[in-house]
Amino acid sequence: MRYLHIANARVLDPATQTDSVTDVFVADGRIIALGHRPSAGEIETEIDASGQWLLPGLIDLGGHLPEPGYSQKGSIASETEAAAGGGFTHICSLPDTKPVADTSAVVKLILEKAARAGFSRVLPLGAMTQGLAGEQLASMFTLAEAGAVAMSNARQPIRNSYVLRRLMEYAATYDIPLFLCANDLSLSDGGCMHEGPVATRMGLPGIPATAETIALAQILLLVEQTGVRAHISQISCRRSISMLQQARENGLRVTADTPLANLLYTHDAVTGYNSLFNVAPPLRSERDREALLAAVQAGELAISSNHRPHEIAAKKAPFSDAESGMSQYDAFLPNAMSLVQRGELTAEQLIRALTAVPASVLNLEHGLREGADFNAVLFDPESEHTLTATDIASGGRNHPLLNQSIQGKVTHVFLEGRRIH
């Protein structure tokens, strides 16, 4: 047997409580030995990872892939290549494609294109309702059979509580997890940033925190009634954290994530009408950001990318008219690591929120242990470079760090032992 030998890496895996400098041996896509040389076989390839960190591959619980339907914003190939470069081995794709991922044919097309591209593995989220219109239930069981790992309506509203209840009852019957966004459209419609003093000063229509918390209360009450497995996607408010904590204390099967942008920035970033920071959910107050960080520190939240690539023209309109969203996959891990450099998270807390927590949401076996699939990232924390347009694989050009200096670099990414970056 011939091995890949990764020597002298700092192996950091919260799932196995590992943090030590050691050697890893890989063969046939799996970790054969950790910390010692196998009893038989020879080394085929050796990587001296001195000074680098070996981490489990990142898992994204929500990113927008523009294919099919939005070729001007990128493709499955371009976005999965960008995701691999950012450290992701697995990404959940939201169903807001064109056509919507509400049929098994679209789900299978996404899987086929992702397999052909050969970068990060795509885990499709099927549409909860036909056309994401929020009215007629999609055939969720058929979508799950086609390969959808869960169901979502992206950020599109469900028509009313009756439809949402029926969706949950259907999903609970087959134990299909639902990825739900808490957003009361009657309160958020027309808004483009967090409702608060910054929005008032800038004369922009705001989105109150209650647009999220009122919708979340409705979701949690129906989860309690139906017993469905629910994941709350893209929470942004301090009050949402306490509501989720209480729900879990009451025995509800609920998990949640927050976008990286909401941990890095607040509504103050909008000052100057920079449309890069027109995102959904909106960037909120410093108190909200601190509460989200505390929940990540406690292991209660996963961190998602909420990656949404746009062409230049989509962001050139006035702030309130620009398309919402931020390209995140390129340089994602170095960007996230800035929270560690700032002392707001430990490396272990950050990596747990990007690997172990999302793996538990998806019931994935994921970690750096002997016998496990080798899904891993080598990261050089000391490398410094400037992110230029030529470094970006994504079709989107709405990256917040474009032409800025970045500390840290993803040097290698492996999916089942195969190097994808």
Side-chain angles (χ1 to χ4, degrees), residues 154-155 179-185 188 209-219 231-237 240 281 284:
R155 292 193 68 82
F179 280 37
L180 302 162
C181 284
N183 180 36
D184 186 320
L185 190 63
S188 65
T210 47
E212 178 172 296
T213 54
I214 287 174
L216 180 58
Q218 176 197 50
I219 288 170
H231 177 77
I232 313 302
S233 298
Q234 305 169 5
I235 68 164
S236 64
C237 300
S240 296
R284 298 201 182 271

Side-chain angles (χ1 to χ4, degrees), residues 124-152:
L125 301 177
M128 289 167 52
T129 61
Q130 296 177 24
L132 298 179
E135 298 181 354
Q136 299 296 319
L137 277 61
S139 181
M140 291 189 278
F141 180 77
T142 302
L143 295 174
E145 284 192 318
V149 297
M151 304 299 146
S152 166

Side-chain angles (χ1 to χ4, degrees), residues 312 330 386-397 399 401-404:
I312 293 174
D330 291 283
T386 299
L387 185 69
T388 66
T390 57
D391 299 321
I392 292 180
S394 170
R397 290 298 177 264
H399 198 290
L401 299 182
L402 188 61
N403 298 321
Q404 294 185 34

Side-chain angles (χ1 to χ4, degrees), residues 85-373:
F88 288 102
T89 54
H90 297 74
I91 55 176
C92 293
S93 62
L94 288 156
D96 51 351
T97 49
K98 187 178 180 181
V100 166
D102 59 0
T103 65
S104 58
V106 176
V107 170
K108 289 176 180 177
L109 175 66
I110 291 169
L111 288 170
E112 288 168 4
K113 284 182 172 288
R116 196 177 307 132
F119 298 108
S120 302
R121 175 157 298 153
V122 174
L123 308 173
L125 301 177
M128 289 167 52
T129 61
Q130 296 177 24
L132 298 179
E135 298 181 354
Q136 299 296 319
L137 277 61
S139 181
M140 291 189 278
F141 180 77
T142 302
L143 295 174
E145 284 192 318
V149 297
M151 304 299 146
S152 166
N153 222 52
R155 292 193 68 82
Q156 298 304 310
I158 304 300
R159 180 178 180 182
N160 55 44
S161 300
Y162 176 80
V163 175
L164 182 57
R165 176 185 172 184
R166 293 300 178 221
L167 285 164
M168 290 186 179
E169 290 172 337
Y170 180 171
T173 299
Y174 297 101
D175 197 27
I176 297 171
L178 298 183
F179 280 37
L180 302 162
C181 284
N183 180 36
D184 186 320
L185 190 63
S186 64
L187 290 172
S188 65
D189 196 25
C192 62
M193 68 171 293
H194 173 61
E195 183 178 279
V198 178
T200 301
R201 184 174 69 247
M202 298 179 66
L204 293 173
I207 301 172
T210 47
E212 178 172 296
T213 54
I214 287 174
L216 180 58
Q218 176 197 50
I219 288 170
L220 293 176
L221 287 169
L222 289 174
V223 169
E224 183 177 33
Q225 181 175 352
T226 61
V228 73
R229 270 198 294 154
H231 177 77
I232 313 302
S233 298
Q234 305 169 5
I235 68 164
S236 64
C237 300
R238 177 174 57 91
R239 182 64 190 278
S240 296
I241 298 294
S242 59
M243 293 169 69
L244 287 164
Q245 289 170 338
Q246 183 177 1
R248 284 192 285 266
E249 289 171 2
N250 292 336
L252 272 63
R253 297 192 296 171
V254 289
T255 53
D257 71 70
T258 191
L260 177 62
N262 290 78
L263 296 173
L264 290 171
Y265 313 110
T266 69
H267 57 165
D268 289 319
V270 176
T271 301
Y273 302 94
N274 187 344
S275 63
L276 277 174
F277 299 100
N278 182 335
V279 293
L283 305 175
R284 298 201 182 271
S285 71
E286 178 63 14
R287 289 185 70 196
D288 290 310
R289 192 184 77 88
E290 289 173 351
L292 295 172
L293 283 167
V296 172
Q297 291 165 1
E300 297 172 356
L301 276 182
I303 299 174
S304 62
S305 74
N306 198 18
H307 171 76
R308 185 182 283 274
H310 287 305
E311 71 280 20
I312 293 174
K315 285 291 190 178
K316 285 297 185 183
F319 186 91
S320 58
D321 296 324
E323 293 188 48
S324 71
M326 185 180 288
S327 181
Q328 285 278 24
Y329 280 153
D330 291 283
F332 182 91
L333 185 54
N335 197 16
M337 280 290 180
S338 66
L339 292 167
V340 177
Q341 294 155 11
R342 284 152 46 169
E344 295 183 318
L345 294 175
T346 66
E348 187 271 341
Q349 290 166 345
L350 176 69
I351 295 161
R352 178 181 60 194
L354 291 168
T355 60
V357 178
S360 68
V361 171
L362 298 169
N363 287 329
L364 288 179
E365 290 290 332
H366 197 70
L368 301 176
R369 59 175 66 87
E370 290 187 4
D373 289 339

